[in-house]
Amino acid sequence: MPAPFHFEEFDLDLERYELRRSGQAVKLERIPMELLILLLQSNGKLVRRDAINRRLWGENAYQDTDHSVNTAVNKLRYILRDDPRDPRFIQTVVGQGYRFIADVAADPFLEEAALPLLGVQKSETSLLTVATRPEFILPEPVVTPVAPVPLPVKPGPAETMEEQDAGPRHPAPTRRPFVFVVLTILVALLAAAAFLYLHRSRSAHDSKTAIGGFHSVAVLPFVNLAQNSDQDYIVDGMTDQLITDLAGSTPFRVISSRSVMQYKGVQVPMREIAETLDVDAVLEGSFLHNGTQVRITADLIDARNDRHLWAQVYEEGGNDLLTIQESVTNDIVRDVALALGSGVSTSQVRPLNVEARDSYLRGRFLWNKRTPASLEKSVVYYQNAINADPGYAEAYAALGIAYVVLTGYGSDPSSSLAKAQLAAEAALRLGGGEAEAAAEAHTVLGAVKTERDRDWPGAEVEYRRALELDPSYPTAHHWYSLHLSRLGRTKEAEIEIQRARALDPLSPMIGTDAAETAYWARNPGEAMARIREVLIRNPNFAEAYLAEGKILEQQRHYEQALAAYKSGSRFFGSDTAYVQALQGNALALAGASEQARQMAKQLEDLSAHSYVSGVDLAIIYCALGDQDSALRWLDRAQRNGDREMGLVSVDPIFDGCRSNPRYQDLLKRLRLRPAR
């Protein structure tokens, strides 16, 4: 039977007692599951805290009610990825309770079944609605729960609580409201008994977590006090590892290294950094190698009030900088998590191969520069790391990502994507329990299935698996969003690109693609606002000018669009085939047809001895109204597996060909939904 409840990308199947996100089952503890059912059954009405308390723990359970409800709500928000300051799902009515605010499709019989649990009679529902006007709706302080994790550091109150919440499921509910309510009460009584048994051990940990209310942290680039550029890659590697380990072993939102690296070597007030990155805690530190001594400092700051939470100085001896860095990083992660009110999870640690680690860090250092030359060099270092340690899963995964990114710089993508696939598959074979490497590898496979295989369902499986393994990996959210846009799933694409922005708020590429997401959805006003924000922060970022030009075309400002394309060409350092195609498109739309045809002819001549995507030629011919030529090149692009074929369904730049039956037939062959 169909799922009784559907909201946004989620389905709640009461028959199977299962929550699914975009078709994939989501692990949800019993207490937050019961809370979600209660909120959904309320049909948008206020659910008071005492009603939640009765439903979850029974009438007579002895407990700190406010704290227990807060914990349950915040666990549910964590699973739903709901921000209490800007909620999509759960709205707080301060001092009263909670309301589920998203649109929900549900079976009608459930509303009547929910009324006794809400503590009202059917005749009282109008009074309930009047009494719950949102006159003082404010975000509640965030209580960040400890996410369910494998292999906890040591058994403690959090793990004991997890065992309780992962207990037996309800019997499957029937469609008879009376039986459903009776079963719910029985389970609530059992939960109350379990709670009484575990309450004493649980309360100490929960109170500690509730005090801080932290939900996000940024690790600023550690400062190399020796000012020895030969050691920069080690210091940056330490920053990167802290970010990865905190994101993978704690429930906090941790800002990506690409965003925080923009603060390397610059002086910006802490409050401004915290506001820009939207975090409430910041970790900063320094690294000094002098002779045979290493001195590392770390300082954790509550950015909301500029209060120091924790600080430590590590004095180590020896010249094995990588081993020292690895050990100190592990200590910092554990202490920062505890200072923020969380525990940490651990994964199996492989023995450190110093030579391989050194090459890997050098590769990451170069990859972060994101120029064609630095990407090519990063590939060499990753391969050196693999040669030194053939079992190095992270190096294989990073190599795969580098090959995928290189396909966007004008070369034939078929060779790079084949290498990316081999690297990702090797990472998965070797990864073991390394979730971050596996998430990166699945993201690579998603890109390969999208760009080369046109396997849209297969790509979605890979992206979802990546996010299941590492929900804090911004590239997976980013590329999954692009995938969803290609399929015309605009609303889901917007959700994913905003998640990527939250994790990597200063990434110019994610910001640019956020603008393109709005452009593809034919919302040029929002798209322009987003791209201007990127250009203010990154006035030399070539890709942003190309996106700006396309948005200007959508607004019929063709001469301004041409100027934007020329700016992009200047910052790229040369005219790629794609940039020439965009300029030819703008010329055609502006009425300079002869110049546009000359540019198309130049690209056709170039294609005889260099790689040119057939999509690039089609961009010009569609604007010229030469649909036969455009479709000839698109057919060739499909046969050759050229890049960006997925965008033909949604990009307005192809509107000059969209009405042609051959174009619609091409979309069917690509298994893409025609855009409006």
Side-chain angles (χ1 to χ4, degrees), residues 365-574:
F365 182 79
L366 289 164
W367 185 86
N368 278 320
K369 294 180 180 293
R370 297 297 285 271
T371 67
S374 67
L375 284 166
E376 292 282 4
K377 290 178 181 177
S378 77
V379 165
V380 175
Y381 278 113
Y382 292 144
Q383 289 171 335
N384 289 343
I386 291 166
N387 290 337
D389 181 0
Y392 202 168
E394 291 99 324
Y396 278 107
L399 179 63
I401 286 285
Y403 276 130
V404 170
V405 175
L406 276 170
T407 63
Y409 287 90
S411 60
D412 184 349
S414 58
S415 175
S416 291
L417 291 174
K419 293 174 183 176
Q421 179 181 356
L422 290 174
E425 289 172 346
L428 291 175
R429 285 196 305 271
L430 299 167
E434 295 163 353
E436 294 80 11
E440 201 165 28
H442 281 290
T443 303
V444 170
L445 293 177
V448 171
K449 288 181 182 295
T450 295
E451 297 296 341
R452 188 192 66 189
D453 303 337
R454 321 286 189 232
D455 179 3
W456 318 119
E460 183 148 7
V461 169
E462 298 294 345
Y463 288 131
R464 285 179 177 174
R465 179 58 179 153
L467 291 170
E468 180 183 332
L469 288 165
D470 186 2
S472 297
Y473 184 36
T475 301
H477 289 290
H478 178 194
W479 292 3
Y480 185 33
S481 172
L482 301 181
H483 171 76
L484 291 167
S485 285
R486 290 182 178 99
L487 299 180
R489 292 158 61 180
T490 304
K491 191 172 183 179
E492 293 172 82
E494 178 66 20
I495 290 170
E496 290 301 324
I497 199 66
Q498 292 305 331
R499 287 170 179 163
R501 291 179 79 184
L503 291 164
D504 200 352
L506 298 186
S507 165
M509 195 67 251
I510 291 177
T512 296
D513 282 341
E516 291 230 55
T517 300
Y519 158 76
W520 293 324
R522 297 173 187 267
N523 186 358
E526 176 63 23
M528 184 59 71
R530 292 179 183 182
I531 205 64
R532 291 279 161 81
E533 182 182 340
V534 173
L535 286 169
I536 288 171
R537 288 186 176 142
N538 308 273
N540 299 332
F541 188 60
E543 293 277 2
Y545 287 101
L546 303 187
E548 181 190 35
K550 293 169 74 175
I551 298 164
L552 286 165
E553 281 191 13
Q554 198 173 34
Q555 296 174 324
R556 302 180 184 276
H557 302 316
Y558 303 126
E559 292 184 5
Q560 295 178 43
L562 186 60
Y565 294 145
K566 289 181 177 178
S567 294
S569 174
R570 184 170 71 254
F571 289 116
F572 269 125
S574 63

Side-chain angles (χ1 to χ4, degrees), residues 6-11 88-89 102-104 491-492 495:
H6 175 77
F7 54 97
E8 298 284 348
E9 70 269 35
F10 292 94
D11 293 289
R88 290 191 298 143
F89 301 119
D103 292 335
V104 180
K491 191 172 183 179
E492 293 172 82
I495 290 170

Side-chain angles (χ1 to χ4, degrees), residues 52-67:
I52 295 174
N53 187 45
R54 290 196 304 272
R55 171 68 172 264
L56 300 185
W57 294 287
E59 295 285 350
N60 302 312
Y62 173 79
Q63 58 187 316
D64 178 353
T65 300
D66 284 343
H67 173 64

Side-chain angles (χ1 to χ4, degrees), residues 601-659:
K601 180 65 167 58
Q602 291 173 9
L603 289 179
E604 288 196 16
D605 292 342
L606 180 63
S607 71
H609 54 82
S610 299
Y611 175 76
V612 175
S613 171
V615 177
D616 296 338
L617 272 301
I619 285 173
I620 300 178
Y621 284 123
C622 277
L624 286 168
D626 186 349
Q627 296 184 8
D628 286 341
S629 295
L631 288 161
R632 173 167 53 85
W633 281 100
L634 285 174
D635 285 338
R636 188 183 113 160
Q638 186 205 6
R639 291 193 304 272
N640 293 347
D642 286 348
R643 61 174 178 79
E644 300 299 350
M645 275 299 292
L647 291 177
V648 297
S649 64
V650 294
D651 199 322
I653 209 165
F654 297 105
D655 281 355
C657 294
R658 202 169 299 281
S659 62

Side-chain angles (χ1 to χ4, degrees), residues 13 21 48 67 71 140 145 285 294 320 323 343 347 419 477 576:
D13 189 335
R21 179 189 292 115
R48 298 187 181 277
H67 173 64
T71 301
E140 183 178 65
V294 176
D320 189 352
T323 301
S347 59
K419 293 174 183 176
H477 289 290
T576 66

Side-chain angles (χ1 to χ4, degrees), residues 285-433:
S286 63
F287 186 103
L288 175 61
H289 179 219
N290 185 10
T292 60
Q293 294 296 311
V294 176
R295 189 174 193 266
I296 300 173
T297 67
D299 191 6
L300 182 65
I301 300 166
D302 185 340
R304 301 168 299 187
N305 51 29
D306 205 23
R307 179 173 61 92
H308 287 260
L309 297 169
W310 166 87
Q312 186 62 272
V313 177
Y314 302 86
E315 301 275 3
E316 303 286 342
N319 287 312
D320 189 352
L321 300 184
L322 294 178
T323 301
I324 292 171
Q325 176 224 358
E326 188 90 6
S327 174
V328 172
T329 298
N330 290 337
D331 288 346
I332 292 174
V333 168
R334 182 190 64 244
D335 292 342
V336 166
L338 291 173
L340 295 177
S342 170
V344 293
S345 65
T346 59
S347 59
Q348 188 174 3
V349 179
R350 298 175 63 250
L352 179 64
N353 181 314
V354 174
E355 181 183 354
R357 180 70 175 171
D358 183 86
S359 293
Y360 172 79
L361 290 178
R362 290 179 188 272
R364 279 289 189 191
F365 182 79
L366 289 164
W367 185 86
N368 278 320
K369 294 180 180 293
R370 297 297 285 271
T371 67
S374 67
L375 284 166
E376 292 282 4
K377 290 178 181 177
S378 77
V379 165
V380 175
Y381 278 113
Y382 292 144
Q383 289 171 335
N384 289 343
I386 291 166
N387 290 337
D389 181 0
Y392 202 168
E394 291 99 324
Y396 278 107
L399 179 63
I401 286 285
Y403 276 130
V404 170
V405 175
L406 276 170
T407 63
Y409 287 90
S411 60
D412 184 349
S414 58
S415 175
S416 291
L417 291 174
K419 293 174 183 176
Q421 179 181 356
L422 290 174
E425 289 172 346
L428 291 175
R429 285 196 305 271
L430 299 167

Side-chain angles (χ1 to χ4, degrees), residues 13-82:
D13 189 335
L14 289 177
E15 190 79 13
R16 299 178 61 182
Y17 201 70
E18 181 179 73
L19 178 67
R20 294 188 291 270
R21 179 189 292 115
S22 302
Q24 288 287 108
V26 177
K27 182 180 179 182
L28 189 59
E29 301 167 11
R30 188 190 61 77
I31 292 295
M33 174 68 87
E34 287 300 312
L35 174 60
L36 177 60
I37 293 171
L38 177 59
L39 289 172
L40 290 171
Q41 288 173 338
S42 71
N43 196 25
K45 300 180 178 68
L46 176 73
V47 183
R48 298 187 181 277
R49 298 178 71 87
D50 58 350
I52 295 174
N53 187 45
R54 290 196 304 272
R55 171 68 172 264
L56 300 185
W57 294 287
E59 295 285 350
N60 302 312
Y62 173 79
Q63 58 187 316
D64 178 353
T65 300
D66 284 343
H67 173 64
S68 298
V69 172
N70 288 346
T71 301
V73 169
N74 281 285
K75 280 192 174 189
L76 181 55
R77 279 179 170 149
Y78 178 76
I79 293 297
L80 297 179
R81 302 172 184 170
D82 196 27

